[in-house]
Structures are given as C-alpha cells and as structure tokens.
Amino acid sequence: GERIKLTWIGHSTCLIQQHHFTILTDPIFITTVGPAMTVCPQWFTLFGEIRYNPPAINLEELHHHLPPHKPMGNGNSNEPNQKSTNEEKRVIDLVLISHDHYDHLDLTTLQALTDPDAYYGYSSIPQHNIIVKNWCVPRGLKRWMMDNCPNVSQNDVWEMEWWDHFNIEKDVQEKGGDGKVARATVTCAPAQHWGCRSPFDRNMNL
C-alpha cells in the first residue's frame, strides 16, 4: 500500500507501484524505434534507433508483476483490451506518456498494449492479458491516440497542459479490513525539452 516499488524496465520505461496504484511510464517493449516501424518494419535497421540492451521484462513477464483485475458488476462489461481467454487478467491503472519522441511514444508497443490478441512477430512483443484503465498524454497527443489505437476509449485518455491535474480512484480491499477507496492525483509539471515525430511538427505538441 504505502511503500513505493519501482521497477526500471529500460530507458524511461518504469513500473511504479504505490498506494494501491500501478503506473507504467513511457512504455517501450521493442528493440528498435523510429518512423520506419510505422511504415515498413523491415526497414528498421536503416531508419531506426536500436537499443543497446533489451527491456528488463517483456509484456508477458510484466503480466506477473501486476495486480489482478477485478471487473465491476457481473464482470461482463465491455472493457478495453480484454483477451478472450480464461487466463487471469491483470491491470495497469495508468500509463503515462511524457512526450512524442519515438523512444518514449512507440506505436507498436501501444497497439500491443491495447490489442493483446494481435501478433507482432517482428517486434518480439508476446501476447499478454493486461488491461490499461487510464492513459495520460501531453497536449496534442490525444488525437494521435484516437487515430492510432482504436481500442482505446477517448474517455480513458487524459490530455494535459502544464500544471493540469486530474484524480483517479479505485476500490481496494485491505487485508483483514473493510474495503476503501484509494485516490491519487496526477499533475503535469513543466520540463525543458522538445518534441517531434517528423521534420515538420517540432514542438507542435507539448
């Protein structure tokens, strides 16, 4: 509950677990990033950046580090990225995207997170059974999410300007105690950096 557990997966990808919440930052689970991955993955060695070390864990292994998903009601809700198996689902309460550089915002990883039945053989991303409840992105990237991740509901994406904040909450059950509501506040703090995904959109998003 109160203690912070942080797992560094690689580069800016971290799994943070605190106050009953599970947060994943800048998820990158492929070996190469760059614009070629969105056009022709076979070109990645020519037009992409190859990471020096693989992720410490992949999505399939990440599944075992996450708390079980407890659906609301009778469990028949149409929640995003549900996998049609009897394997226990696990939940990420929030995915944080810091900015739009390719080594922080990777289309292949996000599509794999939002469509666990898809197969990305060229990227070494295995199938998984993870549900993402909320997405936090800087100003300008919500439309990108809607255009590229069709399984994500716009109601689950929080788009933020500097110093914007929002609250998330969840029902939790303490050991040997009654249930309670856990709450967390997410704040978008300024940073000295820049962003772009092409030669023509420098700093057009936050």
Side-chain angles (χ1 to χ4, degrees), residues 135 142-143 145-146 149-159:
W135 301 80
K142 183 171 184 176
R143 173 46 52 195
M145 288 284 297
M146 296 298 94
C149 303
N151 289 342
V152 175
S153 167
Q154 63 178 352
N155 296 327
D156 297 331
V157 181
W158 302 82
E159 187 175 52

Side-chain angles (χ1 to χ4, degrees), residues 6 16 21 28 39 41 54 59-60 73 82-84 91 95 114 131 143 155 163 168-169 178-179 181 184 201-202 205:
L6 189 147
I16 305 168
F21 289 98
I28 303 289
V39 179
L59 283 182
E60 186 176 30
Q82 291 196 61
K83 190 175 178 181
S84 55
V91 64
V95 170
T114 58
I131 291 175
R143 173 46 52 195
N155 296 327
W163 295 121
I168 57 175
E169 60 181 43
D178 297 329
V181 177
D201 65 347
R202 186 182 178 94
N205 301 316

